[in-house]
Amino acid sequence: MTPLTGLTSAEAAARLARYGANLLPQRPPVPLWRRIATQLRDPLIIVLLIAAVLTVTTGDWPDATVIMLVIVVNTTVGVVQEVRADRAITALAQLAGPEARVVRDGRQRQIPSSDVVMGDLLILAEGDIVPADAEVHEAAALLVDESALTGESVPVDKRAGEPLSSGTVVVRGRGRAQVTATGAASASGRIASLMVKSTGLTPLQRRLVGVGRLLAGVAVLLSAVVLALGLVRGQPVQLMVITAISLVVAAVPESLPAVVTLSLALGARRMAARNALVRKLPAVETLGSVTALATDKTGTLTEGTMVARHLWTPTAQATISGTGYTPEGQITSDTAPGTFDALLTAAVLCNDARLSPPPRTSGEPAALRTGGSTAPGTGRPATPDSRGPATLASGESPALSSGERAAPGTGGSAAPGIGEWVALGDPTEAALLAAAAKLGLDRQDVQARYPRLAELPFDSDRKRMSTLHHLPGGGVRLVCKGAPEALLHHPALIDEPDLLARAAARADRFAQDGYRVLAVASTDLDSVPDSIQESGLSLLGLIAILDPPRPAAATAVADCKRAGIRPILITGDHPGTARAIATELGIIADGDRVVDCREPGALDQDRDRGQTGVYARATPEQKLDIVQSLQEQGGILAMTGDGVNDGPALRRADIGVAMGRRGTEVARQAADLVLADDNLDTVVAAVEEGRRVYANIRRFLVYGLSGGAAEIAVMLLGPFAGLPLPLLPAQILWINLLTHGLPGVALGGEPTVPGAMAAPPRPPGQSILGAGLWQRVVRIGIVLTAVTLGIAVWAAATGRPWQSMAFFALGATQLGVALGSRTRPGTLANPMLLFAVAGAFVLQLAALYAPPLRQLLGTQPLEAGDLLIVTALSVLGYAAARLDRILHPSPRPAPAGPQTIGR
């Protein structure tokens, strides 16, 4: 191969066979049987399976069928949700087939990016996504956006001999590069290889493990006691064995897995309605447990676009409003707006970027309309070029139809949404055009009035760019823009030293505040020089540019702090920029420490990471180390991000949240939750949804366990009150079926508790039965037991059918507890629960009066007066639940404070 001819087709085919396709390492698809096995490994499901075996052993086929039905439904819902989420993620990543331009057999060819091999000669131009690691052979003003890998907002100038990384984006210029690494050996592949963390148990699963063990142990122990007492009193062995098994089934709330699944599924549905795709059901609840939210900066907290915010001239200064590249906003200054005409006119002249207005027609995103492609590992749409005809909407910039490519903007964003202006070229230069347009300067008019004659492109050595233009009245104008340190000195400028000192000091203050600063200067010449000499210029002013915070980011950060969740910024960007953004959004206060991860030993010296709010210049490996250290402190950590460099940390965090619109494929595949609208507010809503799910699970546990405890207590204490066998096995199972069935599942649909986001997160080590829950179970269980035994003893003493009255009372009082457990009693919120309780009550009546059920359950019909008495006393179940919540409110966890995430 030579730099001009590239590989031959035969060589490329041989290398493709030897090294493999240019694809990132992909996790093999999870087979259906493994998904099912994962669901069945749930501790409570295992308990139910054991109970099903016991019921089958004793020939209790009806109850065994009910238990197996619960297991099948729970498993099916969980598997279906995972499969649907995986398919949606795959569809999001495959908007179009990625392609690359290479030289093969001495000619340029368009090939799938997966066919790029070591030694291929790439042809790169504006808007192209680098398909593999490469070394630059030729470069003409080549500027590359590396934010997907490094997190740096500002594109990097590339020259011959310098490396390019896969997944980065060419925002200006053109070049040729020879491929040095593909697939897993590329930069994106090496980062993807870090994502090998085995998935551990979620906070909810860890808590339910303890619940399952506790319930199983207690149920078996107490049932054994009942069995022993019955045998001592001379009851038949078979009857007592069936009774003991029935109590085991009753004590284990078999609908708890269904309640958990329904709560998570409802949460996932609500999140989907808010543009958040839940990839795994437990992720919804995990968000409700988070104590810290670690977030990337570029494109997550910020807009991912460059915007000019401040203008400074020797005589005036101004502030510019507006967002993105939209040329709408105001320039606010104490002086006349014309004061800044010369500065912004020069910024327009010394500029190669363009702005493309939004299409006037709605419909598919730009990537789909133009047949754009995505690069491997990025999931980012490429923009229209010579690969195929572009279908442009009316009103779109003609620049697009002439082969120019829309730069994705700082951070390499995905295709812009409908109604957004697009930067063509360097995002920093596009920000200058937008600022000029806000002053009323039109790029085409200005450049037509001052035609360009020559230019010196920007390079990383000079750190400046210069252009030469005709003046309308004769002569020429030399315009230069660049970094202040490269321009604010003699002989480049001929201004007075005190003016240059003032300008340098102002530039330093801008930089400390996180801005990228450009100095602009010019001079008029009588004739066209033989060559451009960047000297003898006069300073026009400074322009301060930044990637601004998203409008909703500050609100989201404030909401997190109010909810007791500590926000942390982990970025690959400059410390000054990170500090400015973090301070503006309220993540840290003025003067708080910012850790620069590039300083030797910075992370080792950062012993107390519970006190650090911002980490800057972090590599993917360092992000992973930071996440692991935060988790070791005992917190539940959520991590948001969109770049390839965020992938390992997203996978390692307790829950990873990826941006779906501008996020890379690596980030989306590593995440548990994908935000289709890239809105950080959706994460806060997910936290609230997670807390709702957890509260409903605890609500069901109070309801289910108090009923189960009452059933066991009635069977244990009944004989001491003169009731030989208070309830028959079939009656126990019937009550269990009615109360733990639809009413129990319906509790999972209760709305959010008012003020849920004003409370701090629960301690990570807290048991699901903690925070007063088991005491509430005991108190309500005592009321249920007392009502049931009281009715039974009174009925036995007066010659009434005491067993049937006890049977009806125990079921009806539990239904009263279900109504008393509602979040918003007295309203129609969660009507499913009202219908479920009403239906269960009707079936409980049928058990007394329907002959087939009477024969099956061994009940007797009650007279109207007796039924009225039992029904009236059953209201005590509702009263017990309501009064317990009022007299013994759940203790709220103590606030962890804004700077700690540990227990």
Side-chain angles (χ1 to χ4, degrees):
M1 187 203 82
T2 70
L4 295 179
T5 61
L7 297 175
T8 64
S9 297
E11 288 173 331
R15 296 188 182 192
L16 183 63
R18 179 179 179 183
Y19 298 109
N22 179 34
L23 297 171
L24 294 182
Q26 297 289 327
R27 286 181 296 169
V30 181
L32 181 61
W33 69 266
R34 182 166 295 173
R35 294 184 188 272
I36 296 174
T38 300
Q39 297 290 328
L40 294 178
R41 284 202 302 266
D42 184 277
L44 284 173
I45 294 294
I46 293 175
V47 173
L48 288 179
L49 289 172
I50 294 173
V53 171
L54 292 175
T55 53
V56 169
T57 302
T58 59
D60 186 6
W61 296 106
D63 204 63
T65 302
V66 172
I67 295 174
M68 292 306 299
L69 180 62
V70 171
I71 296 173
V72 170
V73 170
N74 176 77
T75 302
T76 301
V77 171
V79 169
V80 168
Q81 172 66 20
E82 290 188 11
V83 171
R84 290 178 61 185
D86 284 347
R87 287 178 179 174
I89 293 294
T90 301
L92 188 63
Q94 294 179 345
L95 292 176
E99 294 183 333
R101 284 182 294 172
V102 300
V103 175
R104 293 269 177 92
D105 301 316
R107 296 183 301 170
Q108 288 192 27
R109 291 186 179 181
Q110 194 86 6
I111 65 171
S113 290
S114 59
D115 290 347
V116 172
V117 298
M118 290 268 293
D120 258 329
L121 184 62
L122 302 175
I123 306 298
L124 302 171
E126 285 184 12
D128 284 343
I129 302 177
V130 181
D133 286 3
E135 180 179 318
V136 178
H137 272 222
E138 301 174 9
L142 187 63
L143 196 66
V144 177
D145 174 10
E146 297 182 335
S147 63
L149 288 173
T150 66
E152 291 276 4
S153 299
V154 180
V156 180
D157 180 56
K158 293 292 183 178
R159 295 177 297 176
E162 294 186 339
L164 292 173
S165 296
S166 63
T168 57
V169 184
V170 178
V171 296
R172 189 188 67 193
R174 61 187 183 276
R176 294 188 174 203
Q178 184 178 3
V179 174
T180 57
T182 61
S186 67
S188 296
R190 290 191 298 273
I191 293 176
S193 67
L194 296 175
M195 302 189 301
V196 293
K197 183 202 78 167
S198 58
T199 304
L201 295 177
T202 68
L204 176 62
Q205 290 169 330
R206 288 197 294 267
R207 292 180 174 99
L208 290 181
V209 165
V211 172
R213 291 172 179 169
L214 177 64
L215 293 180
V218 171
V220 171
L221 177 62
L222 294 180
S223 298
V225 172
V226 171
L227 173 63
L229 289 176
L231 294 178
V232 168
R233 284 179 167 77
Q235 296 289 346
V237 175
Q238 182 179 0
L239 175 62
M240 293 313 301
V241 169
I242 296 175
T243 301
I245 293 175
S246 300
L247 282 176
V248 171
V249 175
V252 176
E254 69 273 7
S255 54
L256 178 57
V259 171
V260 172
T261 302
L262 175 65
S263 299
L264 295 175
L266 288 175
R269 180 182 299 177
R270 288 187 178 122
M271 296 310 302
R274 300 192 64 170
N275 296 315
L277 177 64
V278 178
R279 300 196 65 203
K280 290 186 179 294
L281 279 179
V284 177
E285 186 277 334
T286 306
L287 267 172
S289 308
V290 298
T291 57
L293 174 63
T295 177
D296 182 35
K297 180 187 73 68
T298 305
T300 304
L301 293 176
T302 64
E303 295 180 350
T305 60
M306 301 300 283
V307 178
R309 277 284 179 258
H310 297 283
L311 304 176
W312 181 91
T313 70
T315 59
Q317 52 187 344
T319 301
I320 309 174
S321 64
T323 60
Y325 299 113
T326 303
E328 297 175 358
Q330 294 182 339
I331 297 180
T332 305
S333 175
D334 294 335
T335 61
T339 307
F340 305 98
D341 278 356
L343 173 62
L344 290 178
T345 296
V348 171
L349 292 175
C350 191
N351 198 311
D352 290 328
R354 297 186 183 183
L355 297 178
S356 173
R360 293 179 182 175
T361 58
S362 62
E364 295 174 312
L368 296 180
R369 288 187 298 102
T370 61
S373 61
T374 60
T378 67
R380 297 179 174 181
T383 47
D385 56 19
S386 57
R387 301 168 192 166
T391 305
L392 297 177
S394 174
E396 211 167 13
S397 171
L400 281 175
S401 62
S402 62
E404 296 215 49
R405 299 163 177 83
T410 304
S413 65
I418 299 299
E420 294 184 10
W421 284 67
V422 179
L424 307 176
D426 185 351
T428 300
E429 292 189 339
L432 301 180
L433 295 182
K438 294 169 186 176
L439 192 64
L441 298 176
D442 181 78
R443 177 189 63 83
Q444 292 182 342
D445 290 345
V446 171
Q447 293 180 352
R449 200 172 352 130
Y450 302 96
R452 182 182 296 187
L453 298 174
E455 68 176 278
L456 277 180
F458 176 89
D459 66 52
S460 55
D461 286 337
R462 293 168 32 251
K463 295 185 179 180
R464 55 195 178 200
M465 170 185 179
S466 296
T467 55
L468 195 64
H469 304 265
H470 266 306
L471 291 174
V476 294
R477 175 169 296 172
L478 176 63
V479 181
C480 180
K481 78 172 191 298
E485 64 271 20
L487 200 56
L488 297 180
H489 58 75
H490 293 286
L493 301 184
I494 59 173
D495 298 283
E496 296 296 328
D498 61 333
L499 173 58
L500 297 182
R502 281 199 300 125
R506 190 68 185 93
D508 286 342
R509 289 198 298 273
F510 278 138
Q512 291 173 3
D513 291 338
Y515 291 92
R516 184 186 185 191
V517 186
L518 290 178
V520 183
S522 70
T523 187
D524 291 345
L525 306 173
D526 294 332
S527 59
V528 178
D530 294 333
S531 62
I532 295 178
Q533 300 296 323
E534 295 172 325
S535 60
L537 304 167
S538 297
L539 179 65
L540 295 176
L542 305 174
I543 303 175
I545 303 169
L546 86 163
D547 179 9
R550 289 176 175 266
T555 302
V557 170
D559 289 343
C560 284
K561 286 193 167 185
R562 185 165 57 252
I565 300 170
R566 173 175 164 245
I568 305 169
L569 174 59
I570 308 175
T571 179
D573 215 337
H574 189 277
T577 305
R579 177 185 294 278
I581 294 296
T583 303
E584 181 174 350
L585 294 179
I587 295 177
I588 60 173
D590 289 332
D592 284 354
R593 183 185 179 209
V594 174
V595 175
D596 186 345
C597 297
R598 290 192 182 179
E599 293 180 357
L603 293 182
D604 293 334
Q605 297 171 10
D606 182 37
R607 301 294 182 187
D608 189 3
R609 292 183 181 169
Q611 302 296 322
T612 302
V614 178
Y615 297 89
R617 296 190 185 276
T619 64
E621 293 82 0
Q622 288 171 327
K623 285 188 177 184
L624 192 60
D625 179 56
I626 293 168
V627 168
Q628 290 174 334
S629 296
L630 291 171
Q631 288 176 314
E632 289 170 0
Q633 296 179 31
I636 304 298
L637 183 70
M639 173 78 188
T640 69
D642 64 345
V644 174
N645 60 328
D646 298 318
L650 289 174
R651 177 64 60 82
R652 183 62 180 84
D654 293 288
I655 180 166
V657 183
M659 302 298 155
R661 184 173 158 202
R662 63 171 289 116
T664 61
E665 183 181 350
V666 169
R668 289 197 298 264
Q669 291 294 338
D672 302 289
L673 188 72
V674 179
L675 306 182
D677 59 354
D678 292 5
N679 194 340
L680 200 62
D681 271 352
T682 308
V683 178
V684 178
V687 171
E688 182 177 14
E689 192 64 36
R691 293 186 177 186
R692 182 194 69 83
V693 168
Y694 190 73
N696 285 343
I697 293 172
R698 283 172 54 87
R699 183 174 290 107
F700 171 78
L701 284 173
V702 171
Y703 167 64
L705 294 181
S706 62
E711 292 166 10
I712 292 179
V714 166
M715 296 298 294
L716 281 173
L717 301 178
F720 297 99
L723 308 173
L725 189 63
L727 295 172
L728 297 175
Q731 293 172 351
I732 296 174
L733 295 175
W734 179 262
I735 293 173
N736 182 65
L737 177 64
L738 290 187
T739 57
H740 290 183
L742 288 179
V745 173
L747 279 174
E750 281 293 290
T752 305
V753 177
M757 291 301 288
R762 55 189 175 273
Q766 184 185 82
S767 167
I768 197 171
L769 299 178
L773 186 142
W774 73 265
Q775 294 95 327
R776 178 165 292 168
V777 168
V778 171
R779 290 191 294 265
I780 295 177
I782 289 174
V783 173
L784 299 181
T785 303
V787 171
T788 303
L789 288 179
I791 290 175
V793 170
W794 170 75
T798 57
R800 289 172 168 82
W802 62 268
Q803 192 176 64
S804 294
M805 294 180 71
F807 163 74
F808 186 83
L810 186 55
T813 51
Q814 289 189 50
L815 295 178
V817 172
L819 291 177
S821 301
R822 300 181 67 204
T823 301
R824 301 171 188 174
T827 70
L828 294 179
N830 191 18
M832 179 181 173
L833 177 60
L834 301 178
F835 289 123
V837 170
F841 186 78
V842 170
L843 289 174
Q844 187 74 348
L845 287 173
L848 294 177
Y849 298 102
L853 290 179
R854 285 171 47 194
Q855 183 178 1
L856 176 66
L857 301 175
T859 59
Q860 302 176 41
L862 303 182
E863 294 182 0
D866 293 341
L867 179 64
L868 184 60
I869 291 173
V870 176
T871 302
L873 291 175
S874 298
V875 176
L876 292 175
Y878 174 86
R882 296 308 307 165
L883 286 175
D884 192 79
R885 295 179 67 87
I886 296 172
L887 299 178
H888 302 280
S890 297
R892 290 194 172 187
Q899 299 298 329
T900 60
I901 69 169
R903 290 182 174 86

